[in-house]
Amino acid sequence: MAHTSNTISLCLFIVQLFFMLLAKANAKIPAIIVFGDSSVDSGNNNHIQTIARSNFMPYGRDFAGGRPTGRFSNGRITTDFISEAAGLKQIVPAYLDPAYNMSDFAVGVSFASAGTGYDNATADVLGVIPLWKQVEYYKEYQKKLRAYLGDTKANEVISEALYATSLGTNDFLENYYTMPQRRSQYTIDQFQTFLVGIAKNFITNLYNLGARKISLGGLPPMGCMPLERTRNMGNGNECMESYNVVAVNFNEKLNGLVMELNKELPDIQVVLSNPYEPMLQMIKNPSSYGFEVASIACCATGLFEMGYACDRFNLFTCKDANKYIFWDAFHPTERTDRIIADHVVKTALSKFLA
Ligand SMILES: *[C@@H]1O[C@H](CO)[C@@H](O)[C@H](O)[C@H]1NC(C)=O
Ligand SMILES: *[C@@H]1O[C@H](CO)[C@@H](O)[C@H](O)[C@H]1NC(C)=O
């Protein structure tokens, strides 16, 4: 009798172990938590005083319900697709959007703000949310999450969540190459080192707040954005090679930072999600991805318009954004973002999502 019950409990134990291992093998992330700029802002800027906005048509015309949300896209953006790939919701809502509450934010939230950068001075240009303030919002979020889920479950979400960051382009294009201050202080190489120092502090802060799984976003080939090509008019609207070189150099420095953080901070797992190569391939060879237009954007003339200049009454706006790599002069279409998201999900993020 005793023998039988021992056998049964051993069997139960093995079954239990099996399910535990299975659960572990299937364990994707419980939430996605996003910091950054317009590449990942899902509507926070709708709720602050700034002109860096896109909560009007034709933005969002291919979003569910044909609804502008504040995403700088005709539809969804990369972090929405990553969330979906992780088995979470189809969209990552903006923290400042009153249409959502903690039951939504417990599985996905974006603190990102269009127009921001690593450098405080970048956020100042358009009066948007600086990175340090995004971290302050995240601290407030942690309190609300603990109140909503209880300490144990909340701490689990905090340590198992995927933290996705995407910013940096504005530090160069909106700040360094546009405003005089940083250029008078730093060479381009020194400025990059300054930004990487801020990135290091930022990731270390997140780590100290409990984050462990972190995706640091790299820079796209920013010299190929339609706006930069338009500035390069004298050279036949080619990509601005000098800006692409900066993006490559900065991504190399970010990669160095990733290695450094993985070495220095116990249990942290940081990866670089780098959109540079997949995006450059699309731009160089649009037809092999089913695109027809790489050099100008869908919205308006496609040469320089974004935000308020990209308006619903512009007769030049393209009919089918899926044929375009860029939606406005600075931001990819939904289709481009989906391809980039698929790429990083299969590469850098596979260790978190597989
Ligand atoms: C969140 O909002 C939904 C409806 O939009 C509601 O059913 C739910 O009770 C709310 N949850 C919290 C925690 O407020
Ligand atoms: C940015 O501003 C915040 C708030 O004023 C400050 O705490 C932080 O040190 C600044 N960051 C840098 C790199 O200057």
Side-chain angles (χ1 to χ4, degrees):
M1 195 62 200
H3 180 74
T4 317
S5 85
N6 274 345
T7 310
I8 289 172
S9 39
L10 184 66
C11 282
L12 280 177
F13 175 71
I14 288 169
V15 168
Q16 222 170 31
L17 198 67
F18 175 76
F19 278 107
M20 270 166 60
L21 289 173
L22 201 67
K24 188 99 184 148
N26 282 335
K28 293 192 180 173
I29 50 165
I32 174 166
I33 297 173
V34 179
F35 299 87
D37 61 17
S38 59
S39 57
V40 291
D41 181 354
S42 50
N44 285 308
N45 278 18
N46 305 350
H47 307 283
I48 62 169
Q49 292 272 337
T50 177
I51 59 154
R53 290 237 183 134
S54 60
N55 55 340
F56 39 80
M57 292 297 264
Y59 286 97
R61 72 178 192 188
D62 299 311
F63 195 83
R67 187 167 61 89
T69 59
R71 286 169 178 79
F72 279 77
S73 170
N74 56 307
R76 290 192 285 160
I77 51 180
T78 49
T79 36
D80 296 321
F81 292 116
I82 293 168
S83 174
E84 188 177 10
L88 302 170
K89 294 196 182 185
Q90 297 201 331
I91 60 147
V92 179
Y95 184 62
L96 299 183
D97 189 338
Y100 299 93
N101 60 27
M102 281 315 287
S103 75
D104 307 296
F105 296 146
V107 295
V109 62
S110 173
F111 300 100
S113 175
T116 204
Y118 286 107
D119 185 358
N120 286 336
T122 304
D124 290 344
V125 177
L126 293 171
V128 298
I129 307 170
L131 191 56
W132 68 267
K133 185 75 187 281
Q134 295 185 26
V135 176
E136 289 303 307
Y137 280 129
Y138 171 63
K139 290 182 191 165
E140 180 188 270
Y141 164 84
Q142 282 201 344
K143 279 191 198 136
K144 291 183 183 172
L145 192 70
R146 292 198 167 99
Y148 178 64
L149 294 178
D151 285 351
T152 311
K153 190 81 185 67
N155 289 340
E156 199 178 302
V157 171
I158 288 163
S159 66
E160 294 295 316
L162 174 64
Y163 294 76
T165 74
S166 175
L167 69 166
T169 304
N170 297 322
D171 291 301
F172 298 101
L173 300 186
E174 185 189 319
N175 180 358
Y176 189 86
Y177 288 114
T178 309
M179 310 301 275
Q181 189 201 358
R182 293 307 189 203
R183 242 182 11 259
S184 72
Q185 277 175 298
Y186 300 119
T187 65
I188 186 64
D189 194 62
Q190 289 168 339
F191 184 61
Q192 292 184 39
T193 303
F194 169 69
L195 298 181
V196 170
I198 297 170
K200 184 172 186 181
N201 272 334
F202 163 61
I203 301 297
T204 306
N205 282 342
L206 291 184
Y207 175 84
N208 289 334
L209 289 163
R212 290 297 178 268
K213 300 175 178 175
I214 297 168
S215 158
L216 193 61
L219 294 190
M222 58 189 183
C224 295
M225 288 171 171
L227 183 67
E228 307 316 321
R229 286 190 191 240
T230 302
R231 287 188 192 161
N232 208 16
M233 205 83 99
N235 286 317
N237 288 42
E238 289 302 311
C239 298
M240 287 274 259
E241 270 319 311
S242 56
Y243 289 171
N244 281 354
V245 168
V246 169
V248 168
N249 290 343
F250 190 66
N251 287 338
E252 274 168 17
K253 287 190 167 70
L254 287 181
N255 199 41
L257 173 64
V258 164
M259 294 195 287
E260 201 178 309
L261 289 163
N262 282 323
K263 217 175 279 171
E264 288 176 10
L265 302 176
D267 295 331
I268 200 170
Q269 292 180 283
V270 196
V271 297
L272 183 68
S273 288
N274 193 347
Y276 190 94
E277 270 308 316
M279 200 151 170
L280 193 64
Q281 289 314 315
M282 283 187 248
I283 290 164
K284 280 186 170 164
N285 207 348
S287 60
S288 59
Y289 295 83
F291 291 111
E292 291 175 11
V293 187
S295 61
I296 63 169
C298 170
C299 195
T301 66
L303 296 172
F304 62 88
E305 297 92 341
M306 61 174 142
Y308 285 111
C310 165
D311 78 284
R312 73 162 81 201
F313 301 111
N314 199 300
L315 298 173
F316 291 104
T317 298
C318 81
K319 295 281 175 287
D320 182 2
N322 286 336
K323 295 180 176 155
Y324 285 71
I325 293 180
F326 290 95
W327 163 248
D328 69 15
F330 217 72
H331 303 98
T333 53
E334 172 181 74
R335 190 152 169 263
T336 303
D337 269 1
R338 183 193 283 276
I339 295 171
I340 292 169
D342 282 350
H343 173 83
V344 296
V345 162
K346 288 194 191 107
T347 53
L349 301 181
S350 63
K351 65 194 292 189
F352 301 134
L353 304 180

